[in-house]
Amino acid sequence: MATMPVETIAEKKMTGSENEPTNNRFLLPFIIVTSLFFLWGMVHNLDSILIPHLKKACELTNRQSTLIDTAVFFAYFIMAIPAGMILKKWGYKKGIIGGLLVAAIGALLFVPAANTRSFELFLLALFIIGCGIATLETAANPYAAVLGKPETAGIRLNLAAAVNGLAVFIAPLVGTLFILSGIEHSKTALAAMPFAERTAYLASESASVKMPYLFLCGALLLVAVLFFFFRFPEVKSEAKTVSLAEFVRVLRHRHLSWAVLAQFVYVGAQVCVTSFFIRMAQQGGGLDEKTAGFYLATVYGVLFLVGRFSGTFFLKYVRQNVLLTLYAVACTILCLAAILGKGEYVVYCLGGLGFFMSIMFPTIFSLGIVELGDDTKIGSSLLVMSIVGGAIFPYIMGTVVDLSGDRIQPGYVVPLVCYLVIIYFGLKGYKVKLHENPVELN
């Protein structure tokens, strides 16, 4: 029978003197670990620029362009179990260095991919980056939690999440400045170009991705060097081998089953919104490519950050399921307005989605693991694996757009349906209850 490892932190063994001030001892390691959160935030949010850009540079359909998301998020799904095994065997520090080096190799592959204008090579590069980043995410969250006093672990994780949220603003800004050219030609105009001119134009568009990804490669290598030379606290991990039957049995918790589905559709909805933001802003809002890219950073990105901080404040006074439901209803209304509307306000509707989606991942996660007891670790693993929704729903949305004659607005029906599922979870699905006839595997 297949088995799956679930990684937990059982104890932490600190190097150095026990009398050494904790703040001084862990401040620099925490800053370096926090940089990982920023790096994988940059990777994910650059994809929102790559999708419309490579669609143009590699002459793709909408459905083909969404394979960019599929490559990255499917890598997460594939690496969910191997990453835990790697960390168990190598330890957290070596596992993080390995993940950084793998991601750096993927980023470096953007150079030959751009030189040959090979979309398949771009996808391979993105898949490799995704494998490396998945390892980092598996290690960085628990590692950040132990770099200091246990009672302040929540504060450290929130700070790291805020740094990750900062990339939602910075990555599209960098991508707009250095990747998007703002030059677009219709299929008719492109076909009418002399062969040499057309080839030069497409080569130029493809080449613009090289510098940002070379910088990303350099940043990944730099952080790997810092991890190699700096002294970090050792974290002893205790691995529990879990059978496939136990993974299925944990779904007897009805609220966890719904949380896994809600997380699956949430990640799908968020990736759909950002992946098609630029083209939606162009078609529905009447913006040019460059301006649309800046709006992705300054409207969506800023509102996402504001939503993350304000949502944390509101959760002190409003029950999690209530706030989640209200935000999902707001997303539904804004998404519907973006589908039916015309003009610049469509772009502000998309930006508003960033604000109201900002709390969804941690809130769904938190509601999903309530009262799981000994099943908490397995339930957490299932909730993390549900990120594969980001690989599936954009592809569905791209298909809808292609079938609609390259009209982006009808495609936003896909995230709209996702928000309806989240509304149900916030109203009823979150309630703790066991299924009457849970599935058993022997």
Side-chain angles (χ1 to χ4, degrees), residues 228-258:
F228 182 81
F229 285 106
F230 276 87
R231 197 175 184 186
F232 285 84
E234 295 177 13
V235 178
K236 181 181 178 182
S237 62
E238 181 183 88
K240 176 187 176 185
T241 300
V242 182
S243 68
L244 180 60
E246 289 178 88
F247 266 86
V248 176
R249 286 193 192 102
V250 76
L251 292 175
R252 73 184 186 276
H253 298 280
R254 181 177 176 273
H255 71 290
L256 174 63
S257 301
W258 276 105

PDB file of all heavy atoms in Angstrom, residues 228-258:
ATOM      1  N   PHE A 228      24.276  28.952   3.239  1.00  0.00           N
ATOM      2  CA  PHE A 228      25.431  28.067   3.365  1.00  0.00           C
ATOM      3  C   PHE A 228      26.420  28.568   4.421  1.00  0.00           C
ATOM      4  O   PHE A 228      26.943  27.789   5.229  1.00  0.00           O
ATOM      5  CB  PHE A 228      26.137  27.929   2.009  1.00  0.00           C
ATOM      6  CG  PHE A 228      27.310  27.004   2.029  1.00  0.00           C
ATOM      7  CD1 PHE A 228      27.131  25.629   1.940  1.00  0.00           C
ATOM      8  CD2 PHE A 228      28.605  27.503   2.137  1.00  0.00           C
ATOM      9  CE1 PHE A 228      28.223  24.768   1.962  1.00  0.00           C
ATOM     10  CE2 PHE A 228      29.696  26.655   2.169  1.00  0.00           C
ATOM     11  CZ  PHE A 228      29.508  25.279   2.082  1.00  0.00           C
ATOM     12  N   PHE A 229      26.665  29.889   4.433  1.00  0.00           N
ATOM     13  CA  PHE A 229      27.699  30.428   5.298  1.00  0.00           C
ATOM     14  C   PHE A 229      27.217  30.865   6.675  1.00  0.00           C
ATOM     15  O   PHE A 229      27.987  30.870   7.631  1.00  0.00           O
ATOM     16  CB  PHE A 229      28.405  31.606   4.605  1.00  0.00           C
ATOM     17  CG  PHE A 229      29.355  31.177   3.531  1.00  0.00           C
ATOM     18  CD1 PHE A 229      29.044  31.348   2.191  1.00  0.00           C
ATOM     19  CD2 PHE A 229      30.561  30.573   3.858  1.00  0.00           C
ATOM     20  CE1 PHE A 229      29.922  30.950   1.190  1.00  0.00           C
ATOM     21  CE2 PHE A 229      31.444  30.174   2.877  1.00  0.00           C
ATOM     22  CZ  PHE A 229      31.123  30.361   1.528  1.00  0.00           C
ATOM     23  N   PHE A 230      25.933  31.235   6.794  1.00  0.00           N
ATOM     24  CA  PHE A 230      25.449  31.684   8.097  1.00  0.00           C
ATOM     25  C   PHE A 230      25.062  30.485   8.962  1.00  0.00           C
ATOM     26  O   PHE A 230      24.637  29.440   8.461  1.00  0.00           O
ATOM     27  CB  PHE A 230      24.255  32.627   7.938  1.00  0.00           C
ATOM     28  CG  PHE A 230      24.653  34.046   7.673  1.00  0.00           C
ATOM     29  CD1 PHE A 230      24.889  34.489   6.377  1.00  0.00           C
ATOM     30  CD2 PHE A 230      24.803  34.953   8.710  1.00  0.00           C
ATOM     31  CE1 PHE A 230      25.262  35.793   6.124  1.00  0.00           C
ATOM     32  CE2 PHE A 230      25.186  36.259   8.466  1.00  0.00           C
ATOM     33  CZ  PHE A 230      25.412  36.685   7.171  1.00  0.00           C
ATOM     34  N   ARG A 231      25.195  30.714  10.257  1.00  0.00           N
ATOM     35  CA  ARG A 231      24.868  29.660  11.211  1.00  0.00           C
ATOM     36  C   ARG A 231      23.393  29.781  11.586  1.00  0.00           C
ATOM     37  O   ARG A 231      22.945  30.826  12.041  1.00  0.00           O
ATOM     38  CB  ARG A 231      25.742  29.813  12.450  1.00  0.00           C
ATOM     39  CG  ARG A 231      25.790  28.578  13.315  1.00  0.00           C
ATOM     40  CD  ARG A 231      26.774  28.795  14.444  1.00  0.00           C
ATOM     41  NE  ARG A 231      26.934  27.604  15.251  1.00  0.00           N
ATOM     42  CZ  ARG A 231      27.644  27.576  16.368  1.00  0.00           C
ATOM     43  NH1 ARG A 231      28.250  28.663  16.785  1.00  0.00           N
ATOM     44  NH2 ARG A 231      27.753  26.447  17.061  1.00  0.00           N
ATOM     45  N   PHE A 232      22.661  28.700  11.387  1.00  0.00           N
ATOM     46  CA  PHE A 232      21.234  28.692  11.699  1.00  0.00           C
ATOM     47  C   PHE A 232      20.955  27.686  12.806  1.00  0.00           C
ATOM     48  O   PHE A 232      21.681  26.692  12.950  1.00  0.00           O
ATOM     49  CB  PHE A 232      20.420  28.303  10.463  1.00  0.00           C
ATOM     50  CG  PHE A 232      20.321  29.387   9.439  1.00  0.00           C
ATOM     51  CD1 PHE A 232      21.328  29.577   8.499  1.00  0.00           C
ATOM     52  CD2 PHE A 232      19.228  30.240   9.414  1.00  0.00           C
ATOM     53  CE1 PHE A 232      21.248  30.572   7.559  1.00  0.00           C
ATOM     54  CE2 PHE A 232      19.135  31.246   8.476  1.00  0.00           C
ATOM     55  CZ  PHE A 232      20.145  31.410   7.550  1.00  0.00           C
ATOM     56  N   PRO A 233      19.898  27.916  13.571  1.00  0.00           N
ATOM     57  CA  PRO A 233      19.505  26.910  14.563  1.00  0.00           C
ATOM     58  C   PRO A 233      19.171  25.597  13.854  1.00  0.00           C
ATOM     59  O   PRO A 233      18.603  25.603  12.768  1.00  0.00           O
ATOM     60  CB  PRO A 233      18.249  27.502  15.203  1.00  0.00           C
ATOM     61  CG  PRO A 233      18.295  28.949  14.886  1.00  0.00           C
ATOM     62  CD  PRO A 233      19.002  29.070  13.573  1.00  0.00           C
ATOM     63  N   GLU A 234      19.520  24.502  14.472  1.00  0.00           N
ATOM     64  CA  GLU A 234      19.183  23.204  13.896  1.00  0.00           C
ATOM     65  C   GLU A 234      17.754  22.866  14.284  1.00  0.00           C
ATOM     66  O   GLU A 234      17.326  23.086  15.410  1.00  0.00           O
ATOM     67  CB  GLU A 234      20.133  22.129  14.418  1.00  0.00           C
ATOM     68  CG  GLU A 234      21.575  22.328  13.980  1.00  0.00           C
ATOM     69  CD  GLU A 234      22.496  21.275  14.577  1.00  0.00           C
ATOM     70  OE1 GLU A 234      21.972  20.287  15.113  1.00  0.00           O
ATOM     71  OE2 GLU A 234      23.714  21.466  14.522  1.00  0.00           O
ATOM     72  N   VAL A 235      17.021  22.308  13.345  1.00  0.00           N
ATOM     73  CA  VAL A 235      15.650  21.890  13.607  1.00  0.00           C
ATOM     74  C   VAL A 235      15.569  20.393  13.403  1.00  0.00           C
ATOM     75  O   VAL A 235      15.843  19.890  12.315  1.00  0.00           O
ATOM     76  CB  VAL A 235      14.651  22.600  12.662  1.00  0.00           C
ATOM     77  CG1 VAL A 235      13.243  22.116  12.926  1.00  0.00           C
ATOM     78  CG2 VAL A 235      14.749  24.104  12.847  1.00  0.00           C
ATOM     79  N   LYS A 236      15.240  19.690  14.463  1.00  0.00           N
ATOM     80  CA  LYS A 236      15.096  18.242  14.352  1.00  0.00           C
ATOM     81  C   LYS A 236      13.665  17.932  13.954  1.00  0.00           C
ATOM     82  O   LYS A 236      12.731  18.338  14.623  1.00  0.00           O
ATOM     83  CB  LYS A 236      15.430  17.580  15.692  1.00  0.00           C
ATOM     84  CG  LYS A 236      15.333  16.053  15.646  1.00  0.00           C
ATOM     85  CD  LYS A 236      15.652  15.464  17.005  1.00  0.00           C
ATOM     86  CE  LYS A 236      15.503  13.953  16.976  1.00  0.00           C
ATOM     87  NZ  LYS A 236      15.769  13.344  18.309  1.00  0.00           N
ATOM     88  N   SER A 237      13.518  17.234  12.845  1.00  0.00           N
ATOM     89  CA  SER A 237      12.174  16.897  12.380  1.00  0.00           C
ATOM     90  C   SER A 237      11.846  15.447  12.693  1.00  0.00           C
ATOM     91  O   SER A 237      12.694  14.569  12.616  1.00  0.00           O
ATOM     92  CB  SER A 237      12.057  17.134  10.869  1.00  0.00           C
ATOM     93  OG  SER A 237      12.945  16.309  10.188  1.00  0.00           O
ATOM     94  N   GLU A 238      10.612  15.253  13.090  1.00  0.00           N
ATOM     95  CA  GLU A 238      10.128  13.912  13.388  1.00  0.00           C
ATOM     96  C   GLU A 238       9.118  13.551  12.326  1.00  0.00           C
ATOM     97  O   GLU A 238       8.061  14.161  12.215  1.00  0.00           O
ATOM     98  CB  GLU A 238       9.485  13.913  14.767  1.00  0.00           C
ATOM     99  CG  GLU A 238       8.956  12.550  15.206  1.00  0.00           C
ATOM    100  CD  GLU A 238       8.274  12.679  16.550  1.00  0.00           C
ATOM    101  OE1 GLU A 238       7.059  12.971  16.567  1.00  0.00           O
ATOM    102  OE2 GLU A 238       8.940  12.501  17.581  1.00  0.00           O
ATOM    103  N   ALA A 239       9.431  12.595  11.501  1.00  0.00           N
ATOM    104  CA  ALA A 239       8.546  12.248  10.391  1.00  0.00           C
ATOM    105  C   ALA A 239       7.656  11.078  10.762  1.00  0.00           C
ATOM    106  O   ALA A 239       8.093  10.116  11.374  1.00  0.00           O
ATOM    107  CB  ALA A 239       9.352  11.895   9.151  1.00  0.00           C
ATOM    108  N   LYS A 240       6.411  11.189  10.398  1.00  0.00           N
ATOM    109  CA  LYS A 240       5.464  10.107  10.609  1.00  0.00           C
ATOM    110  C   LYS A 240       5.035   9.603   9.243  1.00  0.00           C
ATOM    111  O   LYS A 240       4.665  10.371   8.382  1.00  0.00           O
ATOM    112  CB  LYS A 240       4.248  10.615  11.385  1.00  0.00           C
ATOM    113  CG  LYS A 240       3.158   9.569  11.573  1.00  0.00           C
ATOM    114  CD  LYS A 240       1.930  10.208  12.186  1.00  0.00           C
ATOM    115  CE  LYS A 240       0.789   9.200  12.287  1.00  0.00           C
ATOM    116  NZ  LYS A 240      -0.455   9.830  12.767  1.00  0.00           N
ATOM    117  N   THR A 241       5.129   8.295   9.040  1.00  0.00           N
ATOM    118  CA  THR A 241       4.699   7.728   7.772  1.00  0.00           C
ATOM    119  C   THR A 241       3.204   7.469   7.835  1.00  0.00           C
ATOM    120  O   THR A 241       2.716   6.804   8.744  1.00  0.00           O
ATOM    121  CB  THR A 241       5.441   6.423   7.471  1.00  0.00           C
ATOM    122  OG1 THR A 241       6.834   6.720   7.403  1.00  0.00           O
ATOM    123  CG2 THR A 241       4.996   5.836   6.144  1.00  0.00           C
ATOM    124  N   VAL A 242       2.490   8.005   6.878  1.00  0.00           N
ATOM    125  CA  VAL A 242       1.039   7.934   6.881  1.00  0.00           C
ATOM    126  C   VAL A 242       0.575   7.156   5.664  1.00  0.00           C
ATOM    127  O   VAL A 242       1.019   7.404   4.547  1.00  0.00           O
ATOM    128  CB  VAL A 242       0.425   9.356   6.845  1.00  0.00           C
ATOM    129  CG1 VAL A 242      -1.092   9.277   6.890  1.00  0.00           C
ATOM    130  CG2 VAL A 242       0.949  10.168   8.018  1.00  0.00           C
ATOM    131  N   SER A 243      -0.324   6.213   5.871  1.00  0.00           N
ATOM    132  CA  SER A 243      -0.825   5.419   4.759  1.00  0.00           C
ATOM    133  C   SER A 243      -1.852   6.218   3.970  1.00  0.00           C
ATOM    134  O   SER A 243      -2.451   7.177   4.470  1.00  0.00           O
ATOM    135  CB  SER A 243      -1.468   4.133   5.274  1.00  0.00           C
ATOM    136  OG  SER A 243      -2.647   4.426   5.996  1.00  0.00           O
ATOM    137  N   LEU A 244      -2.058   5.784   2.734  1.00  0.00           N
ATOM    138  CA  LEU A 244      -3.066   6.422   1.897  1.00  0.00           C
ATOM    139  C   LEU A 244      -4.444   6.316   2.537  1.00  0.00           C
ATOM    140  O   LEU A 244      -5.258   7.227   2.432  1.00  0.00           O
ATOM    141  CB  LEU A 244      -3.065   5.765   0.505  1.00  0.00           C
ATOM    142  CG  LEU A 244      -4.073   6.313  -0.511  1.00  0.00           C
ATOM    143  CD1 LEU A 244      -3.817   7.786  -0.775  1.00  0.00           C
ATOM    144  CD2 LEU A 244      -3.993   5.520  -1.822  1.00  0.00           C
ATOM    145  N   ALA A 245      -4.686   5.203   3.241  1.00  0.00           N
ATOM    146  CA  ALA A 245      -5.970   5.006   3.907  1.00  0.00           C
ATOM    147  C   ALA A 245      -6.227   6.108   4.930  1.00  0.00           C
ATOM    148  O   ALA A 245      -7.349   6.596   5.072  1.00  0.00           O
ATOM    149  CB  ALA A 245      -6.006   3.637   4.580  1.00  0.00           C
ATOM    150  N   GLU A 246      -5.170   6.520   5.655  1.00  0.00           N
ATOM    151  CA  GLU A 246      -5.333   7.574   6.660  1.00  0.00           C
ATOM    152  C   GLU A 246      -5.651   8.909   6.006  1.00  0.00           C
ATOM    153  O   GLU A 246      -6.410   9.714   6.551  1.00  0.00           O
ATOM    154  CB  GLU A 246      -4.057   7.686   7.505  1.00  0.00           C
ATOM    155  CG  GLU A 246      -3.848   6.513   8.443  1.00  0.00           C
ATOM    156  CD  GLU A 246      -2.566   6.636   9.230  1.00  0.00           C
ATOM    157  OE1 GLU A 246      -2.605   7.251  10.312  1.00  0.00           O
ATOM    158  OE2 GLU A 246      -1.531   6.133   8.763  1.00  0.00           O
ATOM    159  N   PHE A 247      -5.070   9.164   4.826  1.00  0.00           N
ATOM    160  CA  PHE A 247      -5.382  10.395   4.102  1.00  0.00           C
ATOM    161  C   PHE A 247      -6.857  10.434   3.706  1.00  0.00           C
ATOM    162  O   PHE A 247      -7.493  11.482   3.737  1.00  0.00           O
ATOM    163  CB  PHE A 247      -4.500  10.518   2.853  1.00  0.00           C
ATOM    164  CG  PHE A 247      -3.258  11.324   3.077  1.00  0.00           C
ATOM    165  CD1 PHE A 247      -2.116  10.735   3.575  1.00  0.00           C
ATOM    166  CD2 PHE A 247      -3.233  12.677   2.803  1.00  0.00           C
ATOM    167  CE1 PHE A 247      -0.965  11.484   3.794  1.00  0.00           C
ATOM    168  CE2 PHE A 247      -2.093  13.434   3.017  1.00  0.00           C
ATOM    169  CZ  PHE A 247      -0.951  12.834   3.514  1.00  0.00           C
ATOM    170  N   VAL A 248      -7.393   9.274   3.336  1.00  0.00           N
ATOM    171  CA  VAL A 248      -8.803   9.223   2.944  1.00  0.00           C
ATOM    172  C   VAL A 248      -9.707   9.311   4.169  1.00  0.00           C
ATOM    173  O   VAL A 248     -10.717  10.016   4.169  1.00  0.00           O
ATOM    174  CB  VAL A 248      -9.086   7.927   2.143  1.00  0.00           C
ATOM    175  CG1 VAL A 248     -10.578   7.813   1.816  1.00  0.00           C
ATOM    176  CG2 VAL A 248      -8.267   7.924   0.853  1.00  0.00           C
ATOM    177  N   ARG A 249      -9.338   8.608   5.225  1.00  0.00           N
ATOM    178  CA  ARG A 249     -10.173   8.594   6.427  1.00  0.00           C
ATOM    179  C   ARG A 249     -10.315   9.975   7.060  1.00  0.00           C
ATOM    180  O   ARG A 249     -11.341  10.291   7.649  1.00  0.00           O
ATOM    181  CB  ARG A 249      -9.597   7.622   7.464  1.00  0.00           C
ATOM    182  CG  ARG A 249      -9.802   6.160   7.127  1.00  0.00           C
ATOM    183  CD  ARG A 249      -9.508   5.272   8.334  1.00  0.00           C
ATOM    184  NE  ARG A 249      -9.428   3.876   7.923  1.00  0.00           N
ATOM    185  CZ  ARG A 249      -8.300   3.194   7.757  1.00  0.00           C
ATOM    186  NH1 ARG A 249      -7.133   3.791   7.980  1.00  0.00           N
ATOM    187  NH2 ARG A 249      -8.313   1.938   7.388  1.00  0.00           N
ATOM    188  N   VAL A 250      -9.263  10.803   6.942  1.00  0.00           N
ATOM    189  CA  VAL A 250      -9.336  12.117   7.568  1.00  0.00           C
ATOM    190  C   VAL A 250     -10.437  12.967   6.945  1.00  0.00           C
ATOM    191  O   VAL A 250     -10.952  13.906   7.556  1.00  0.00           O
ATOM    192  CB  VAL A 250      -7.959  12.835   7.468  1.00  0.00           C
ATOM    193  CG1 VAL A 250      -7.723  13.372   6.071  1.00  0.00           C
ATOM    194  CG2 VAL A 250      -7.854  13.963   8.493  1.00  0.00           C
ATOM    195  N   LEU A 251     -10.838  12.613   5.746  1.00  0.00           N
ATOM    196  CA  LEU A 251     -11.914  13.354   5.078  1.00  0.00           C
ATOM    197  C   LEU A 251     -13.282  13.024   5.652  1.00  0.00           C
ATOM    198  O   LEU A 251     -14.291  13.543   5.182  1.00  0.00           O
ATOM    199  CB  LEU A 251     -11.889  13.077   3.569  1.00  0.00           C
ATOM    200  CG  LEU A 251     -10.667  13.651   2.825  1.00  0.00           C
ATOM    201  CD1 LEU A 251     -10.666  13.215   1.375  1.00  0.00           C
ATOM    202  CD2 LEU A 251     -10.639  15.176   2.927  1.00  0.00           C
ATOM    203  N   ARG A 252     -13.315  12.127   6.687  1.00  0.00           N
ATOM    204  CA  ARG A 252     -14.579  11.920   7.386  1.00  0.00           C
ATOM    205  C   ARG A 252     -15.007  13.192   8.105  1.00  0.00           C
ATOM    206  O   ARG A 252     -16.176  13.356   8.445  1.00  0.00           O
ATOM    207  CB  ARG A 252     -14.447  10.767   8.380  1.00  0.00           C
ATOM    208  CG  ARG A 252     -13.623  11.089   9.628  1.00  0.00           C
ATOM    209  CD  ARG A 252     -13.470   9.848  10.495  1.00  0.00           C
ATOM    210  NE  ARG A 252     -12.819  10.131  11.773  1.00  0.00           N
ATOM    211  CZ  ARG A 252     -11.519  10.183  11.954  1.00  0.00           C
ATOM    212  NH1 ARG A 252     -10.718   9.992  10.918  1.00  0.00           N
ATOM    213  NH2 ARG A 252     -10.998  10.429  13.128  1.00  0.00           N
ATOM    214  N   HIS A 253     -14.041  14.074   8.331  1.00  0.00           N
ATOM    215  CA  HIS A 253     -14.374  15.389   8.890  1.00  0.00           C
ATOM    216  C   HIS A 253     -14.994  16.226   7.776  1.00  0.00           C
ATOM    217  O   HIS A 253     -14.304  16.681   6.860  1.00  0.00           O
ATOM    218  CB  HIS A 253     -13.114  16.081   9.429  1.00  0.00           C
ATOM    219  CG  HIS A 253     -12.450  15.345  10.551  1.00  0.00           C
ATOM    220  ND1 HIS A 253     -12.900  15.411  11.847  1.00  0.00           N
ATOM    221  CD2 HIS A 253     -11.366  14.514  10.559  1.00  0.00           C
ATOM    222  CE1 HIS A 253     -12.126  14.673  12.618  1.00  0.00           C
ATOM    223  NE2 HIS A 253     -11.188  14.113  11.855  1.00  0.00           N
ATOM    224  N   ARG A 254     -16.286  16.413   7.860  1.00  0.00           N
ATOM    225  CA  ARG A 254     -17.020  17.071   6.777  1.00  0.00           C
ATOM    226  C   ARG A 254     -16.477  18.467   6.500  1.00  0.00           C
ATOM    227  O   ARG A 254     -16.339  18.885   5.346  1.00  0.00           O
ATOM    228  CB  ARG A 254     -18.507  17.141   7.144  1.00  0.00           C
ATOM    229  CG  ARG A 254     -19.400  17.792   6.097  1.00  0.00           C
ATOM    230  CD  ARG A 254     -20.858  17.746   6.545  1.00  0.00           C
ATOM    231  NE  ARG A 254     -21.718  18.442   5.593  1.00  0.00           N
ATOM    232  CZ  ARG A 254     -21.964  19.741   5.628  1.00  0.00           C
ATOM    233  NH1 ARG A 254     -21.397  20.495   6.560  1.00  0.00           N
ATOM    234  NH2 ARG A 254     -22.755  20.307   4.736  1.00  0.00           N
ATOM    235  N   HIS A 255     -16.161  19.210   7.552  1.00  0.00           N
ATOM    236  CA  HIS A 255     -15.687  20.589   7.352  1.00  0.00           C
ATOM    237  C   HIS A 255     -14.320  20.608   6.672  1.00  0.00           C
ATOM    238  O   HIS A 255     -14.007  21.525   5.905  1.00  0.00           O
ATOM    239  CB  HIS A 255     -15.642  21.352   8.679  1.00  0.00           C
ATOM    240  CG  HIS A 255     -14.560  20.920   9.619  1.00  0.00           C
ATOM    241  ND1 HIS A 255     -14.569  19.709  10.259  1.00  0.00           N
ATOM    242  CD2 HIS A 255     -13.413  21.545  10.020  1.00  0.00           C
ATOM    243  CE1 HIS A 255     -13.498  19.599  11.026  1.00  0.00           C
ATOM    244  NE2 HIS A 255     -12.780  20.698  10.901  1.00  0.00           N
ATOM    245  N   LEU A 256     -13.496  19.591   6.911  1.00  0.00           N
ATOM    246  CA  LEU A 256     -12.202  19.519   6.223  1.00  0.00           C
ATOM    247  C   LEU A 256     -12.407  19.233   4.738  1.00  0.00           C
ATOM    248  O   LEU A 256     -11.732  19.822   3.884  1.00  0.00           O
ATOM    249  CB  LEU A 256     -11.319  18.437   6.854  1.00  0.00           C
ATOM    250  CG  LEU A 256      -9.998  18.179   6.120  1.00  0.00           C
ATOM    251  CD1 LEU A 256      -9.107  19.425   6.132  1.00  0.00           C
ATOM    252  CD2 LEU A 256      -9.259  16.991   6.724  1.00  0.00           C
ATOM    253  N   SER A 257     -13.333  18.323   4.415  1.00  0.00           N
ATOM    254  CA  SER A 257     -13.628  18.023   3.008  1.00  0.00           C
ATOM    255  C   SER A 257     -14.019  19.289   2.260  1.00  0.00           C
ATOM    256  O   SER A 257     -13.539  19.552   1.151  1.00  0.00           O
ATOM    257  CB  SER A 257     -14.768  17.001   2.913  1.00  0.00           C
ATOM    258  OG  SER A 257     -14.450  15.807   3.576  1.00  0.00           O
ATOM    259  N   TRP A 258     -14.890  20.085   2.885  1.00  0.00           N
ATOM    260  CA  TRP A 258     -15.327  21.337   2.256  1.00  0.00           C
ATOM    261  C   TRP A 258     -14.193  22.354   2.197  1.00  0.00           C
ATOM    262  O   TRP A 258     -14.086  23.125   1.241  1.00  0.00           O
ATOM    263  CB  TRP A 258     -16.530  21.917   2.995  1.00  0.00           C
ATOM    264  CG  TRP A 258     -17.820  21.323   2.534  1.00  0.00           C
ATOM    265  CD1 TRP A 258     -18.599  20.407   3.180  1.00  0.00           C
ATOM    266  CD2 TRP A 258     -18.467  21.591   1.288  1.00  0.00           C
ATOM    267  NE1 TRP A 258     -19.693  20.089   2.419  1.00  0.00           N
ATOM    268  CE2 TRP A 258     -19.646  20.796   1.255  1.00  0.00           C
ATOM    269  CE3 TRP A 258     -18.184  22.407   0.200  1.00  0.00           C
ATOM    270  CZ2 TRP A 258     -20.523  20.809   0.171  1.00  0.00           C
ATOM    271  CZ3 TRP A 258     -19.050  22.427  -0.879  1.00  0.00           C
ATOM    272  CH2 TRP A 258     -20.200  21.636  -0.890  1.00  0.00           C
TER     273      TRP A 258
END
